[in-house]
Amino acid sequence: MENGKIRVFSGARPTGRQHLGNYLGAIQNYVELQKSYECIYSIVDIHALTTVETTKDLKQNCLEMALDWLAAGVDPEKSIMFIQSHVPQVMELHTMLSMVVPMGKLTDLPTFKEKVRMHPQNVNYGLLGYPVLMSADILLYKAELVPVGIDQAPHLEFAREVVRSFNFRYNTQVLVEPQIKVTTVPKVMGLDGVNKMSKSLNNEIEIAADDETTRKLVMTMVTDPQRIRRTDPGDPDVCNVFSFHKMFSSDEEVEEINRECRIAGIGCVDCKKRLAKNINASLEPLRSRRRKFAEKPDQVWEILYDGADRARKIADQTMLEVREAIGIPIYREF
Ligand code: SF4
């Protein structure tokens, strides 16, 4: 822990260019957390291997994600930002932890069953050990706090159980039980207005999209299904476009649209054009920063390498303590 600040860890799979759901749900929170905590943010590329069909875009996806994080304001001076596989100690800790996790515990996890259902053709060991690797991600850095949505809290409870099992088995206090920081994030629906915004559902707007692409996508958004004709009054409360206005438009404009929609004073086409304009205006500073970073990808890789160097220092110390606690002979490099 640096400067007495509580250490936070969060990881995200390299899904490439981030969309508005990622931005509003996670990345903005990353930026905010930096103000009060010592933050470690990892692009967890090894986790991605459990389900990806091809790795040909993996490297580029890591870079695209890093670009979005940096553009959004994740500050490498304040936070450690790195790629998971650049700190291979996490694989070693994963192996150590796997010795204290009962097999039945892993096969019983609802997330494992769900993944088996989704990827029946590829039920690999990595899928089963996923929560153990996720625990290793957190415990390697002795993170005290992990921000998660309420639906992910059970994952963290698993990591806490792993700590208790390990510390009990080896009669040590070396691993730190992380606390859950439940974050309330807006549920960002996709263009279809039915499902959460998701790349796999092809219903997303990328934060790095250009103005025209954003406008075209917004024009495809589903509105109040009961509003058929321009003269029909609408109901903003059931309209996804209105949900986005609440996130990107001024209070006055939200109030105006709420009022005018209900009396058919504004049409959906105009309403969407205004939304697209506001999204573009709001994201322009971020997009401008992203373009600058994207011109120098080598610098972005250097930022990631530097983050990995800093993460490795913490990881080395933890692994030394873990090896000592277990009783594994220490190699002279330690
Ligand atoms: Fe939705 Fe706007 Fe159309 Fe009302 S006017 S239904 S808020 S898109």
Side-chain angles (χ1 to χ4, degrees):
M1 290 112 261
E2 273 175 13
N3 308 323
K5 283 186 176 174
I6 291 172
R7 185 175 288 160
V8 164
F9 176 90
S10 185
R13 289 161 71 119
T15 48
R17 287 173 164 235
Q18 301 292 279
H19 54 61
L20 293 183
N22 303 131
Y23 177 60
L24 298 163
I27 305 173
Q28 277 192 335
N29 194 36
Y30 281 9
V31 176
E32 194 58 31
L33 286 168
Q34 298 178 129
K35 293 178 188 163
S36 313
Y37 300 100
E38 181 202 349
C39 298
I40 302 180
Y41 297 135
S42 178
I43 297 174
V44 291
D45 55 340
I46 301 300
H47 282 290
L49 300 182
T50 53
T51 52
V52 290
E53 281 160 17
T54 168
T55 50
K56 77 177 168 49
D57 297 326
L58 190 57
K59 185 178 173 191
Q60 188 62 25
N61 283 347
C62 289
L63 178 65
E64 298 286 354
M65 196 167 189
L67 282 168
D68 282 334
W69 284 6
L70 289 167
V74 173
D75 182 350
E77 298 287 320
K78 289 185 188 154
S79 302
I80 295 179
M81 174 178 150
F82 71 105
I83 292 178
Q84 180 192 28
S85 63
H86 290 177
V87 186
Q89 290 89 332
V90 76
M91 267 72 89
E92 184 186 358
L93 184 58
H94 165 256
T95 304
M96 308 297 191
L97 298 181
S98 69
M99 311 301 174
V100 299
V101 179
M103 188 78 170
K105 178 99 193 151
L106 293 171
T107 50
D108 280 351
L109 282 173
T111 44
F112 175 65
K113 290 178 181 164
E114 172 68 6
K115 289 208 168 131
V116 170
R117 197 182 60 73
M118 287 168 66
H119 307 278
Q121 74 295 355
N122 185 20
V123 183
N124 54 56
Y125 164 74
L127 220 47
L128 185 69
Y130 192 102
V132 187
L133 182 57
M134 194 195 72
S135 300
D137 280 321
I138 299 165
L139 306 181
L140 186 60
Y141 305 106
K142 299 195 177 184
E144 296 157 284
L145 215 53
V146 180
V148 290
I150 190 72
D151 54 328
Q152 291 166 357
H155 296 182
L156 201 61
E157 198 47 54
F158 178 89
R160 287 159 55 84
E161 279 180 34
V162 169
V163 171
R164 292 196 288 272
S165 299
F166 182 93
N167 285 353
F168 179 76
R169 165 94 167 260
Y170 296 112
N171 192 23
T172 178
Q173 291 300 315
V174 67
L175 295 183
V176 174
E177 230 180 287
Q179 300 299 312
I180 301 173
K181 180 172 172 54
V182 175
T183 52
T184 43
V185 292
K187 190 174 181 187
V188 182
M189 305 305 282
L191 299 173
D192 53 19
V194 178
N195 299 294
K196 264 176 80 174
M197 190 171 279
S198 160
K199 192 162 261 199
S200 58
L201 296 173
N202 200 22
N203 67 359
E204 85 277 24
I205 300 176
E206 291 176 351
I207 55 178
D210 60 38
D211 287 6
E212 184 53 15
T213 304
T214 303
R215 193 191 64 77
K216 281 186 179 156
L217 289 170
V218 168
M219 296 314 283
T220 68
M221 285 174 84
V222 173
T223 62
D224 172 5
Q226 301 296 325
R227 194 176 186 197
I228 312 291
R229 293 175 295 267
R230 167 68 179 80
T231 50
D232 293 337
D235 181 359
D237 292 336
V238 298
C239 177
N240 195 29
V241 176
F242 188 64
S243 306
F244 277 84
H245 269 296
K246 287 196 270 190
M247 293 185 267
F248 287 99
S249 303
S250 68
D251 291 348
E252 295 75 32
E253 194 164 4
V254 169
E255 201 181 307
E256 181 199 336
I257 288 165
N258 188 25
R259 188 179 61 242
E260 293 299 314
C261 172
R262 293 175 195 277
I263 56 170
I266 181 173
C268 293
V269 171
D270 280 346
C271 187
K272 289 177 178 178
K273 281 183 185 166
R274 285 167 71 166
L275 173 62
K277 187 165 159 268
N278 293 345
I279 292 176
N280 285 333
S282 163
L283 292 180
E284 180 43 36
L286 181 157
R287 289 171 174 171
S288 167
R289 284 194 295 275
R290 194 187 198 280
R291 286 191 290 272
K292 288 200 179 95
F293 279 118
E295 283 169 10
K296 295 176 181 160
D298 288 352
Q299 273 186 12
V300 177
W301 284 112
E302 280 305 324
I303 288 170
L304 292 167
Y305 299 151
D306 178 64
D309 289 343
R310 289 154 66 200
R312 276 179 181 229
K313 284 200 181 109
I314 303 170
D316 274 339
Q317 180 59 33
T318 303
M319 287 317 299
L320 176 61
E321 293 170 22
V322 163
R323 284 166 161 262
E324 281 176 345
I326 296 174
I328 291 175
I330 307 295
Y331 182 63
R332 62 184 168 209
E333 274 182 10
F334 280 110

